[in-house]
Amino acid sequence: MAAQVLSLDAMLAERRLWRGQPVARPRNANPTGHAALDALLPEGGWPEAALTELLCAADGLGELRLVLPTLARLTQAAQPVALVAPPYLPFPDGWRQAGVDLAHLHVVEAAPRDALWAAEQCLRAGCLGAVLAWPRAADDRALRRLQVAADGGRTPGFVFRALREAANPSPAALRIAVEGGTPPRLRVLKCRGGNPPARALPVPALAPAAG
Amino acid sequence: MLWACLCRSAGPCPADAAGESRPWVGSAARELLAAWAYRYSSQVGIGYDDAVVLEIEASLRLFGPWPAFERRLRADLEALGIACRIAVAPNPRAAWVLAGVHDGLAIVHEARLETALSRIPVAHARLEPKQAQALQAMGLRRLGQLFAAPRDALGKRFGPALLQHLDRLRGAPEALQAYAPPDRFDLRFELEWDVDGTQPLLFPLRRLVNALAAFLAGRDGGVQRFVLRLEHDGHPDTEVVVGMLAAERDPALLFELARSRLERLGDGARRAVPAPVRGLRLVADELPPFVPAAPALFEARPAQSLPWPALRERLRARLGGEAVYRLAAHDDHRPERAWRRVDAAAAPTRRAPPATPAAPRPAWLLHQPVPLRSRGFATLAGPERIESGWWDGGDLRRDYYLVETGEGQRAWVFRPTGDADAPPMLHGWFA
């Protein structure tokens, strides 16, 4: 067999070889509002019509800061957002400083046994821009129901749970752990559409307006 | 003018022969029929004791042509659970007589009316039974023979009422008792046997709610609050109140709300239904005008999506009326009073919200401040002095700090002013 050595450049110049262009990623319609986090996620933002799990080591580590830009964007576009069984009172001044329009922020108080039901109803209804839920006790099956409801209602859902749940399997499309420390760090444990990145990211600092 | 008659008489009705269930009997059925028919025509006559007539010529433009309109009427009647015969004629009395014998007969032209009427047996011509018998004994078996008989002689023998009836059949003017929709809805469902528990009540409940929805659609209104009365034998009635924040009239929504209230009654307190249920009654007094929500023309949401007001009602029905609300900032420096609950259905206020404080505020506020438990913390900002309320008894003087705990949490803590050694109290999280 006569092997013929061809120059790659020559072939390219003769248009006999076609170079695949790097495909521009489709712009995600639901960016997180944090450029560093968007770059880390395979979809370039929150998964649409799916569940995102935020596993927090403690309160006040910046877990809400991850979603507040998204909520601000949604509520300013007059899309309602529901908080199902929040652990504390959402303090209006704090949320307004983050840019959230309170007219479209709805609080749904629910006893622990009703919280999952309420979250599922909100996700399934399909009329909300996003649903945030704090279920006290949620197992794999309950989360699967939420995931199916989010898919059926085409609504992004955010479930906040304790970090110790990271060991348990979950059907959520995206799992992010928020670990304590100075500064707190976040780690993507699972993400649909790609391998979870190995490196951790510092939790975004408080918004400039807030300090 | 063209009139349609919906008739559920004791005459030869095929549905009755088949033993079909007839949930509504007597005048309740006629009221319901009239209320429902009112949505298709502005002239609904209820003068005939077992039938409802409605003027349809004007309605045909919107709902017509007649075969399509008829299909629509029949589909509605089936949903309501009422078996009816339908006939159309140029005058209401002729429609009534035809509906007594035929089902689905439509006569539009006056010329054909006389022929069709001529064939009607005297026994079914809506005459007084005695007169009908006498006429038959005389050998007059069909209306046509009556039309042909000498008028003076008939008048002498049977009185002017018979002549009037015959004249009106052929188009003489007639004053009909017109239906006017009442301002309250009250319908009762008699159960055939005593019922224990809420599950078997769902079927009659659906019937009642469908009837209510038909009534509401007829008067172009909604319902904001209605009462379900469970009637017991030898026990006072159990009342189940179903309230909504806004007027609604969608049967599926109303049924679901009533159902969840009813089911809550069943399992909430043990034996909340004290005795077997004999009858079910639905009473609605508050019937405000219904303003349908106008959805955006190009809705990006999936077709089966449930609008937020409906979802809100569903949540409130199960979680309680106070469970769904919004928050608003209130113009007060004290964190405990810097917010207000806003009723879920309240219209957005035009008033500009108070300015946000310059200093950072946390996203979470603890309902009750607790001592901060942490291994050491660093102060990031503060103190910010909040001193207010000496005039209304809610006096407080505090220095607020933004601190970072050893675990990396951002907390909003305060100390009483002037007491630098006091343990810091945790009041919020910068989550």
Side-chain angles (χ1 to χ4, degrees):
Chain A
M1 197 162 113
Q4 199 179 356
V5 178
L6 286 172
S7 147
L8 209 59
D9 287 337
M11 286 176 73
L12 278 172
E14 290 168 28
R15 302 281 166 95
R16 288 166 64 191
L17 195 65
W18 178 76
R19 191 206 298 264
Q21 299 291 326
V23 182
R25 253 197 327 211
R27 238 174 61 81
N28 186 298
N30 214 358
T32 64
H34 303 288
L37 183 56
D38 281 346
L40 219 55
L41 299 174
E43 292 186 35
W46 300 119
E48 293 172 74
L51 210 59
T52 298
E53 218 181 332
L54 293 162
L55 303 153
C56 321
D59 292 320
L61 289 176
E63 63 277 10
L64 270 183
R65 243 170 285 151
L66 292 178
V67 294
L68 277 174
T70 311
L71 301 189
R73 174 168 54 79
L74 290 171
T75 54
Q76 281 168 14
Q79 291 213 49
V81 169
L83 310 180
V84 179
Y88 304 106
L89 177 82
F91 191 45
D93 282 340
W95 290 67
R96 283 165 68 213
Q97 282 176 343
V100 175
D101 183 354
L102 293 173
H104 300 286
L105 187 74
H106 300 277
V107 182
V108 180
E109 273 182 10
R113 71 188 177 97
D114 283 333
L116 282 168
W117 173 85
E120 190 186 336
Q121 293 296 323
C122 290
L123 285 169
R124 193 178 297 281
C127 58
L128 295 163
V131 177
L132 280 66
W134 287 262
R136 292 285 178 284
D139 57 0
D140 181 26
R141 288 186 49 178
L143 285 181
R144 191 169 300 280
R145 284 191 71 105
L146 293 186
Q147 166 64 31
V148 170
D151 189 39
R154 315 299 302 161
T155 305
F158 298 89
V159 176
F160 293 81
R161 301 170 78 200
L163 184 59
R164 63 172 180 280
E165 308 278 1
N168 301 328
S170 160
L174 173 65
R175 301 185 90 192
I176 296 180
V178 183
E179 297 162 353
T182 44
R185 305 167 76 73
L186 60 88
R187 194 182 292 279
V188 178
L189 300 179
K190 169 191 174 186
C191 51
R192 194 149 70 185
N195 290 324
R199 72 195 165 88
L201 207 68
V203 170
L206 285 174
Chain B
M1 302 264 266
L2 204 54
W3 294 79
C5 178
L6 311 170
C7 167
R8 25 175 295 114
S9 73
C13 179
D16 282 358
E20 187 155 317
S21 71
R22 298 173 53 173
W24 313 118
V25 289
S27 63
R30 203 185 54 197
E31 277 291 309
L32 178 57
L33 260 184
W36 159 77
Y38 197 65
R39 86 170 82 163
Y40 290 115
S41 171
S42 59
Q43 294 188 53
V44 176
I46 49 173
Y48 308 129
D49 44 336
D50 56 1
V52 167
V53 287
L54 59 153
E55 204 285 313
I56 56 164
E57 189 162 15
S59 315
L60 279 179
R61 246 196 236 173
L62 186 57
F63 301 108
W66 170 246
F69 191 10
E70 186 185 3
R71 270 200 299 282
R72 199 175 174 132
L73 293 178
R74 289 193 191 274
D76 275 13
L77 286 169
E78 194 166 330
L80 280 176
I82 301 180
C84 265
R85 291 191 304 270
I86 303 180
V88 175
N91 70 70
R93 191 164 285 255
W96 179 43
V97 167
L98 289 174
V101 182
H102 300 283
D103 186 16
L105 182 69
I107 290 175
V108 182
H109 300 294
E110 296 270 1
R112 288 194 47 223
L113 176 64
E114 181 125 6
T115 345
L117 284 175
S118 300
R119 295 204 193 104
I120 302 277
V122 164
H124 296 307
R126 312 275 190 191
L127 298 167
E128 278 178 40
K130 237 188 206 169
Q131 291 189 343
Q133 264 180 1
L135 285 167
Q136 276 182 310
M138 291 165 65
L140 297 169
R141 301 195 178 276
R142 307 237 163 224
L143 267 183
Q145 291 170 296
L146 273 188
F147 291 151
R151 200 180 150 78
D152 301 348
L154 271 184
K156 264 187 196 147
R157 248 174 219 248
F158 295 100
L162 176 67
L163 289 182
Q164 201 179 32
H165 183 64
L166 293 179
D167 289 345
R168 282 177 176 173
L169 277 180
R170 286 177 289 182
E174 174 175 5
L176 269 180
Q177 187 189 344
Y179 170 78
D183 285 332
R184 104 189 258 281
F185 179 86
D186 186 345
L187 191 61
R188 191 168 168 279
F189 193 101
E190 175 90 39
L191 297 172
E192 284 174 28
W193 49 79
D194 288 3
V195 158
D196 220 350
T198 52
Q199 200 62 31
L201 291 176
L202 294 183
F203 176 75
L205 177 66
R206 189 181 284 280
R207 286 256 193 237
L208 283 170
V209 168
N210 281 353
L212 173 65
F215 168 80
L216 292 173
R219 75 196 291 281
D220 194 21
V223 63
Q224 190 143 14
R225 180 178 174 279
F226 60 90
V227 181
L228 278 175
R229 262 200 206 117
L230 314 182
E231 297 175 353
H232 310 292
D233 205 13
H235 238 285
D237 296 355
T238 309
E239 282 201 357
V240 183
V241 179
V242 183
M244 280 147 284
L245 287 177
E248 298 287 351
R249 74 160 173 233
D250 176 37
L253 173 67
L254 294 176
F255 174 71
E256 203 186 332
L257 292 178
R259 175 191 175 160
S260 60
R261 293 280 151 99
L262 200 61
E263 281 174 351
R264 232 167 21 139
L265 183 76
D267 70 27
R270 211 77 207 112
R271 299 291 304 170
V273 184
V277 181
R278 261 290 160 78
L280 196 60
R281 188 167 168 190
L282 198 161
V283 182
D285 289 321
E286 284 172 44
L287 303 171
F290 174 68
V291 184
L297 183 55
F298 300 107
E299 193 63 64
R301 289 275 150 199
Q304 75 279 13
S305 109
L306 184 73
W308 166 247
L311 171 64
R312 183 187 64 207
E313 295 305 333
R314 182 184 286 180
L315 293 170
R316 286 177 72 245
R318 165 135 172 200
L319 304 175
E322 302 294 305
V324 185
Y325 57 90
R326 285 176 301 168
L327 292 164
H330 185 67
D331 205 359
D332 199 314
H333 292 293
R334 292 164 288 181
E336 284 92 341
R337 304 191 187 207
W339 58 277
R340 286 276 183 277
R341 261 178 185 235
V342 184
D343 192 32
T349 51
R350 293 266 147 263
R351 215 158 36 116
T356 48
R361 289 285 180 266
W364 291 138
L365 189 73
L366 274 63
H367 286 277
Q368 200 67 43
V370 296
L372 178 67
R373 280 181 297 177
S374 167
R375 1 169 218 114
F377 55 84
T379 303
L380 301 182
E384 178 199 357
R385 180 155 301 179
I386 294 181
E387 183 171 0
S388 181
W390 50 265
W391 58 87
D392 64 4
D395 191 4
L396 60 81
R397 302 176 69 210
R398 295 169 180 169
D399 288 338
Y400 276 90
Y401 300 85
L402 165 55
V403 303
E404 186 174 53
T405 68
E407 293 85 26
Q409 299 160 285
R410 301 276 173 111
W412 203 42
V413 302
F414 69 83
R415 284 198 179 97
T417 297
D419 189 356
D421 300 327
M425 299 291 283
L426 173 68
H427 204 181
W429 291 116
F430 288 87

